[in-house]
Amino acid sequence: MYLKKSILKKIVIPTLVVLTAVSTQATEVYLHTDRMDAFAKTIANSIREAYPDKTRRDFKKEIMNILRKDINPWVDAYPIPAGISLPRYLERITGMPGFPMDRSEYYLQNAFILYGNPKLELKEHSENYFASYIHLARKRHVDYLNGETPKFQLRNEVDLRQQIEENLPTVANFTFPFLDEEQNPIVQKGENIKEENRYKLAIGDPNHKMFNRFTYESQRYNHFSSPLFMWLLEQENFSVSPERLFEKSLEIYGDPIVALGVIPWIMSGDALTVNRGNSSVVSYKVERLVEGNDVPGLQYHFWGYLTQGIIGNRIRVQTLAFLYEKLYQKDIPDWKVDLLSLNLGKSVRKYLKQTEKRDMKLEVFRERLRSSL
C-alpha cells in the first residue's frame, strides 16, 4: 500500500505541476526571470542572516502553529466566501486544513508578522494611519453610493494625507465605528440590492461572536503597518520596485519575515477592504507586475502568494489558482501573477535549501575538526 501511494505521488504531483504551470493566453509579464532570481536571492539571504539556525521545515511548522493558535480563533468574523475550515480530524485525513483553503490561510501574512514580532512593537511611534485611511475610504464610498457625494478617486486627491490625519480620532483605541448617530449601521441604501452585495462601512459580520476581537486584532495590524503605508503614500505612482518595497519594509521593521508579512497586509487592505476603482491608493505606487487593469488585485495576489510559496504551499495553492483563476474566472492576469509569485517563492526556498546544505556541511567539518584535536 505504501509503495502504491509513493508511486502515485511521484506521478500525480509532477503532472499536476506541469499542467497548472502551462499558460496558453498571452499576458505580458514585466518582471523577468533573471530579475526575479536575483530578488529571490536577496530575500533568502536576508532570512538566512536573520535566522541562521532555522530550517525551511522550522519556518513552516512554527508559522502554521501561530496561524492556528493566535489568528484562527477570530478570522471567521470576516466570512471570506473563498474558504471554509475543516475539523482537525478531517485535516489529518485529507492533509488539507480547509476547502479549498482554510479561512485562516488568507491571514498567513499576519502569522509572518507575529513570527518575528509577537508583540507588534514599532521602533518609532506611529499613529494608526492605515486604519484611518480604510475607514475614510469606506465611508466616502458609502456616501458616493447613496448619492451624498460625487464620484471620486482618492489617489488623485492632493490633500489625502490631511484627510487621513483628520480622521485619526475616529479609529482611536483600535476601534472601527460603523454606526450613525441613531446607532444604525452605515450601509448602501436601496431596496433592490441583495444583502450579501450591499456595501457596508463595517468590515466583517457585526453579529458574529468574535467580531469585536476581529476588529481589535485587525486594527492592531493596521497600526503596525502604518509606517510603511505612509511611506508608500508619499511615492509617485508606479515608481516603487518590488525590490525597493521589500528593502524599505525591512528597514522599517528590521526583520525579513515581518517585512514580507506587512506588505501583503497593506496590499490586501488596499484592495479588499475598500473599493478598488475609487479608493485603492498605495497599490498604484508599486511597479506594474503583469499586464492588467486590476492593479490592486494583482499586487495583493503577488505579495500574498509569495508568503504561501516561501513556506512550501506552492503546489496546493497553484492548483487552486489554476482551477479558480484560470479555468473558472478566466482571469489570466491574476493567473499569471499567481505563477510569478509562487515561482519566486519556490526560488527563495531553493536558495534557503542551498544555505541549509552548506551550513550542514560546515557543521560536519567543524565536528570532525573538533574530534581530531
Side-chain angles (χ1 to χ4, degrees), residues 210-257:
M210 296 299 289
F211 177 73
N212 290 338
R213 171 83 184 277
F214 166 80
T215 298
Y216 174 77
E217 296 292 347
S218 298
Q219 294 298 69
R220 290 176 68 222
Y221 288 102
N222 287 338
H223 178 248
F224 188 76
S225 303
S226 287
L228 184 61
F229 166 75
M230 292 303 285
W231 177 81
L232 274 169
L233 194 64
E234 298 302 319
Q235 309 308 307
E236 297 292 330
N237 284 348
F238 305 116
S239 67
V240 181
S241 69
E243 298 92 333
R244 176 61 180 136
L245 181 54
F246 172 69
E247 178 187 83
K248 186 63 182 182
S249 189
L250 181 57
E251 176 188 322
I252 292 173
Y253 299 102
D255 182 292
I257 300 295

Coordinates of all heavy atoms in Angstrom, one line a residue, residues 210-257:
M210 N -17.2 36.8 17.5 CA -15.8 37.2 17.6 C -15.6 38.5 16.8 O -14.4 38.9 16.6 CB -14.9 36.1 16.9 CG -14.9 34.8 17.7 SD -14.4 34.9 19.4 CE -12.6 35.2 19.1
F211 N -16.7 39.3 16.5 CA -16.5 40.5 15.7 C -15.6 41.5 16.4 O -14.7 42.1 15.8 CB -17.8 41.1 15.4 CG -17.7 42.4 14.6 CD1 -17.4 42.4 13.3 CD2 -18.0 43.6 15.2 CE1 -17.2 43.6 12.6 CE2 -17.9 44.8 14.5 CZ -17.5 44.8 13.2
N212 N -15.9 41.7 17.7 CA -15.1 42.7 18.5 C -13.6 42.4 18.5 O -12.7 43.2 18.4 CB -15.7 42.9 19.9 CG -17.0 43.6 19.9 OD1 -17.4 44.3 19.0 ND2 -17.8 43.4 20.9
R213 N -13.4 41.1 18.7 CA -12.0 40.6 18.7 C -11.3 40.8 17.3 O -10.2 41.2 17.2 CB -11.9 39.1 19.1 CG -10.6 38.4 19.0 CD -9.6 38.7 20.1 NE -8.3 38.1 19.9 CZ -8.1 36.8 20.1 NH1 -9.0 35.9 20.6 NH2 -6.8 36.3 19.9
F214 N -12.1 40.5 16.3 CA -11.6 40.6 14.9 C -11.3 42.1 14.6 O -10.2 42.4 14.1 CB -12.7 40.2 13.9 CG -12.5 40.6 12.5 CD1 -11.5 39.9 11.7 CD2 -13.1 41.7 12.0 CE1 -11.3 40.3 10.4 CE2 -12.9 42.1 10.7 CZ -12.0 41.4 9.9
T215 N -12.1 43.0 15.0 CA -11.9 44.4 14.8 C -10.6 44.9 15.6 O -9.8 45.6 15.0 CB -13.1 45.3 15.3 OG1 -14.2 44.9 14.5 CG2 -12.8 46.7 15.1
Y216 N -10.5 44.5 16.8 CA -9.4 44.9 17.6 C -8.1 44.4 17.0 O -7.1 45.1 16.9 CB -9.6 44.4 19.1 CG -8.4 44.6 20.0 CD1 -8.1 45.8 20.5 CD2 -7.5 43.5 20.2 CE1 -7.0 46.0 21.3 CE2 -6.4 43.7 21.1 CZ -6.2 45.0 21.6 OH -5.1 45.2 22.4
E217 N -8.0 43.1 16.7 CA -6.8 42.5 16.1 C -6.5 43.1 14.8 O -5.3 43.5 14.5 CB -7.0 41.0 16.0 CG -7.2 40.2 17.2 CD -5.9 40.2 18.1 OE1 -4.8 40.6 17.6 OE2 -6.0 39.8 19.3
S218 N -7.5 43.3 13.9 CA -7.2 44.0 12.6 C -6.6 45.4 12.8 O -5.7 45.7 12.1 CB -8.5 44.0 11.8 OG -9.0 42.7 11.5
Q219 N -7.2 46.1 13.7 CA -6.7 47.5 14.0 C -5.3 47.5 14.5 O -4.5 48.4 14.2 CB -7.6 48.2 14.9 CG -9.0 48.5 14.3 CD -9.0 49.3 13.1 OE1 -8.5 48.9 12.0 NE2 -9.5 50.6 13.2
R220 N -4.9 46.5 15.2 CA -3.5 46.4 15.7 C -2.6 46.2 14.5 O -1.5 46.8 14.5 CB -3.3 45.2 16.7 CG -4.0 45.4 18.1 CD -3.9 44.2 18.9 NE -2.5 44.0 19.3 CZ -1.9 42.8 19.3 NH1 -2.5 41.7 18.9 NH2 -0.6 42.7 19.7
Y221 N -2.9 45.3 13.6 CA -2.1 45.1 12.4 C -2.1 46.4 11.5 O -1.1 46.7 10.9 CB -2.6 43.9 11.6 CG -2.3 42.6 12.3 CD1 -3.3 41.9 13.0 CD2 -1.0 42.0 12.3 CE1 -3.0 40.7 13.6 CE2 -0.8 40.8 12.9 CZ -1.8 40.2 13.6 OH -1.5 39.0 14.2
N222 N -3.2 47.0 11.4 CA -3.2 48.3 10.7 C -2.3 49.3 11.3 O -1.6 50.0 10.5 CB -4.7 48.9 10.7 CG -5.6 48.1 9.8 OD1 -5.2 47.3 8.9 ND2 -6.9 48.2 10.0
H223 N -2.3 49.4 12.6 CA -1.4 50.3 13.3 C 0.1 50.0 13.0 O 0.9 50.8 12.7 CB -1.7 50.3 14.8 CG -0.8 51.2 15.5 ND1 0.2 50.7 16.4 CD2 -0.6 52.6 15.6 CE1 0.8 51.8 17.0 NE2 0.4 52.9 16.5
F224 N 0.4 48.7 13.1 CA 1.7 48.2 12.9 C 2.2 48.5 11.5 O 3.4 48.8 11.2 CB 1.8 46.7 13.2 CG 3.2 46.1 13.2 CD1 4.0 46.3 14.3 CD2 3.6 45.3 12.1 CE1 5.3 45.8 14.3 CE2 4.9 44.8 12.1 CZ 5.7 45.0 13.2
S225 N 1.3 48.4 10.5 CA 1.6 48.6 9.1 C 1.7 50.0 8.7 O 2.1 50.3 7.6 CB 0.6 47.8 8.2 OG 0.5 46.5 8.5
S226 N 1.2 50.9 9.5 CA 1.1 52.4 9.2 C 2.4 53.0 8.7 O 2.4 53.8 7.7 CB 0.5 53.2 10.3 OG -0.9 52.9 10.5
P227 N 3.6 52.7 9.3 CA 4.8 53.4 8.8 C 5.1 53.1 7.4 O 5.4 54.0 6.6 CB 5.9 52.9 9.7 CG 5.2 52.5 11.0 CD 3.8 52.0 10.6
L228 N 5.0 51.8 7.0 CA 5.2 51.5 5.5 C 4.1 52.1 4.7 O 4.4 52.5 3.5 CB 5.3 50.0 5.4 CG 5.7 49.5 3.9 CD1 7.0 50.1 3.5 CD2 5.7 48.0 3.8
F229 N 2.9 52.0 5.1 CA 1.8 52.6 4.3 C 2.0 54.1 4.1 O 1.8 54.5 2.9 CB 0.5 52.4 5.1 CG -0.7 53.2 4.6 CD1 -1.3 52.9 3.4 CD2 -1.1 54.4 5.2 CE1 -2.4 53.7 2.9 CE2 -2.1 55.1 4.7 CZ -2.8 54.8 3.5
M230 N 2.4 54.8 5.1 CA 2.6 56.3 4.9 C 3.8 56.6 4.0 O 3.8 57.5 3.2 CB 2.8 56.9 6.3 CG 1.6 56.9 7.1 SD 0.1 57.7 6.3 CE 0.6 59.5 6.5
W231 N 4.8 55.7 4.1 CA 6.0 55.9 3.1 C 5.5 55.7 1.7 O 5.8 56.5 0.8 CB 7.1 54.9 3.5 CG 8.2 55.0 2.5 CD1 9.3 55.9 2.5 CD2 8.5 54.1 1.4 NE1 10.1 55.7 1.5 CE2 9.7 54.6 0.8 CE3 7.8 53.0 0.8 CZ2 10.2 54.0 -0.4 CZ3 8.3 52.4 -0.3 CH2 9.5 52.9 -0.9
L232 N 4.7 54.6 1.5 CA 4.2 54.4 0.1 C 3.3 55.5 -0.3 O 3.3 55.9 -1.5 CB 3.4 53.1 0.1 CG 4.1 51.8 -0.1 CD1 3.2 50.6 0.2 CD2 4.7 51.7 -1.5
L233 N 2.5 56.1 0.6 CA 1.6 57.1 0.2 C 2.3 58.3 -0.4 O 1.8 59.0 -1.3 CB 0.8 57.6 1.4 CG -0.4 58.5 1.2 CD1 -1.5 57.7 0.5 CD2 -0.9 58.9 2.6
E234 N 3.6 58.5 0.0 CA 4.3 59.7 -0.5 C 5.1 59.4 -1.8 O 5.7 60.4 -2.3 CB 5.4 60.1 0.6 CG 4.8 60.5 1.9 CD 3.8 61.7 1.8 OE1 4.1 62.6 1.0 OE2 2.7 61.7 2.4
Q235 N 5.0 58.2 -2.3 CA 5.8 57.9 -3.5 C 4.9 58.2 -4.8 O 3.7 58.3 -4.7 CB 6.2 56.4 -3.5 CG 6.9 56.0 -2.3 CD 8.1 56.8 -1.9 OE1 9.0 57.1 -2.7 NE2 8.0 57.3 -0.6
E236 N 5.6 58.3 -5.9 CA 4.9 58.6 -7.2 C 4.3 57.2 -7.7 O 4.8 56.2 -7.3 CB 5.9 59.1 -8.2 CG 6.6 60.4 -7.9 CD 5.6 61.5 -7.9 OE1 4.6 61.4 -8.7 OE2 5.7 62.5 -7.2
N237 N 3.2 57.4 -8.4 CA 2.6 56.2 -9.0 C 3.6 55.3 -9.8 O 4.3 55.9 -10.6 CB 1.4 56.6 -9.8 CG 0.2 57.0 -9.0 OD1 0.2 56.8 -7.7 ND2 -0.8 57.5 -9.6
F238 N 3.5 54.0 -9.6 CA 4.3 53.0 -10.3 C 5.8 53.3 -10.3 O 6.6 53.0 -11.2 CB 3.9 53.0 -11.8 CG 2.4 52.7 -11.9 CD1 1.5 53.6 -12.5 CD2 1.8 51.5 -11.5 CE1 0.2 53.4 -12.6 CE2 0.5 51.3 -11.6 CZ -0.4 52.2 -12.2
S239 N 6.3 53.9 -9.2 CA 7.7 54.3 -9.1 C 8.5 53.3 -8.1 O 9.7 53.3 -8.2 CB 7.8 55.7 -8.5 OG 7.4 55.8 -7.2
V240 N 7.8 52.5 -7.4 CA 8.5 51.7 -6.4 C 8.6 50.2 -6.9 O 7.6 49.6 -7.2 CB 7.7 51.6 -5.0 CG1 8.4 50.8 -4.0 CG2 7.5 53.1 -4.5
S241 N 9.8 49.8 -7.0 CA 10.1 48.4 -7.5 C 9.7 47.4 -6.3 O 9.8 47.8 -5.2 CB 11.5 48.2 -7.9 OG 12.4 48.3 -6.8
P242 N 9.4 46.2 -6.6 CA 9.2 45.2 -5.6 C 10.4 45.1 -4.7 O 10.3 44.9 -3.5 CB 8.9 43.9 -6.3 CG 8.3 44.4 -7.6 CD 9.1 45.6 -8.0
E243 N 11.6 45.1 -5.3 CA 12.8 45.0 -4.5 C 13.0 46.2 -3.5 O 13.3 46.0 -2.4 CB 14.1 45.0 -5.5 CG 14.1 43.8 -6.4 CD 13.4 44.1 -7.8 OE1 12.5 45.0 -7.8 OE2 13.8 43.5 -8.8
R244 N 12.6 47.4 -4.0 CA 12.7 48.6 -3.1 C 11.7 48.5 -2.0 O 11.9 48.9 -0.9 CB 12.5 49.8 -4.0 CG 12.5 51.1 -3.2 CD 13.8 51.4 -2.4 NE 13.7 52.6 -1.7 CZ 14.2 52.7 -0.4 NH1 14.7 51.7 0.2 NH2 14.1 53.9 0.2
L245 N 10.5 48.0 -2.3 CA 9.5 47.9 -1.3 C 9.9 46.9 -0.2 O 9.7 47.2 1.0 CB 8.2 47.4 -2.0 CG 7.0 47.2 -1.1 CD1 6.7 48.5 -0.3 CD2 5.7 46.8 -1.9
F246 N 10.4 45.8 -0.6 CA 10.9 44.8 0.4 C 12.1 45.5 1.2 O 12.1 45.3 2.5 CB 11.4 43.5 -0.2 CG 12.1 42.6 0.7 CD1 11.4 41.9 1.7 CD2 13.5 42.4 0.6 CE1 12.1 41.1 2.6 CE2 14.2 41.5 1.5 CZ 13.4 40.9 2.5
E247 N 13.0 46.1 0.5 CA 14.1 46.8 1.2 C 13.6 47.8 2.2 O 14.1 47.9 3.4 CB 15.0 47.5 0.2 CG 16.2 48.2 0.7 CD 16.9 49.0 -0.4 OE1 16.4 50.1 -0.7 OE2 17.9 48.5 -0.9
K248 N 12.6 48.6 1.9 CA 12.1 49.6 2.8 C 11.3 49.0 3.9 O 11.4 49.4 5.1 CB 11.1 50.6 2.0 CG 10.6 51.8 2.9 CD 11.8 52.6 3.3 CE 11.4 53.8 4.2 NZ 12.5 54.7 4.5
S249 N 10.6 47.9 3.7 CA 9.9 47.2 4.7 C 10.9 46.6 5.7 O 10.7 46.7 6.9 CB 9.0 46.1 4.1 OG 8.1 45.6 5.1
L250 N 11.9 46.1 5.2 CA 13.0 45.5 6.1 C 13.6 46.6 6.9 O 13.9 46.4 8.1 CB 14.0 44.8 5.2 CG 15.2 44.1 5.9 CD1 14.7 43.1 6.9 CD2 16.1 43.4 4.9
E251 N 13.9 47.8 6.3 CA 14.5 48.9 7.0 C 13.6 49.3 8.2 O 14.0 49.6 9.3 CB 14.7 50.1 6.0 CG 15.2 51.3 6.7 CD 15.2 52.5 5.7 OE1 15.5 52.3 4.5 OE2 14.8 53.6 6.1
I252 N 12.3 49.4 7.9 CA 11.3 49.9 9.0 C 11.2 48.8 10.1 O 11.2 49.2 11.3 CB 10.0 50.2 8.4 CG1 10.1 51.4 7.4 CG2 8.9 50.4 9.4 CD1 8.8 51.7 6.6
Y253 N 11.0 47.6 9.7 CA 10.7 46.5 10.7 C 11.8 45.7 11.2 O 11.7 45.0 12.2 CB 9.5 45.7 10.2 CG 8.3 46.5 9.8 CD1 8.0 46.9 8.5 CD2 7.5 47.0 10.9 CE1 6.9 47.7 8.3 CE2 6.4 47.8 10.6 CZ 6.1 48.1 9.3 OH 5.0 48.9 9.0
G254 N 12.9 45.7 10.5 CA 14.1 45.1 11.0 C 14.2 43.6 10.9 O 15.0 43.0 11.5
D255 N 13.2 43.0 10.3 CA 13.1 41.5 10.2 C 12.5 41.1 8.9 O 11.4 41.6 8.5 CB 12.2 41.0 11.4 CG 12.1 39.5 11.4 OD1 11.5 38.9 10.5 OD2 12.7 38.9 12.4
P256 N 13.1 40.2 8.1 CA 12.7 39.9 6.8 C 11.3 39.2 6.8 O 10.5 39.4 5.8 CB 13.8 39.0 6.2 CG 14.5 38.5 7.4 CD 14.4 39.5 8.4
I257 N 11.1 38.3 7.7 CA 9.8 37.6 7.8 C 8.7 38.6 8.1 O 7.6 38.6 7.5 CB 9.8 36.5 8.9 CG1 10.9 35.5 8.5 CG2 8.5 35.8 8.9 CD1 10.7 34.7 7.3

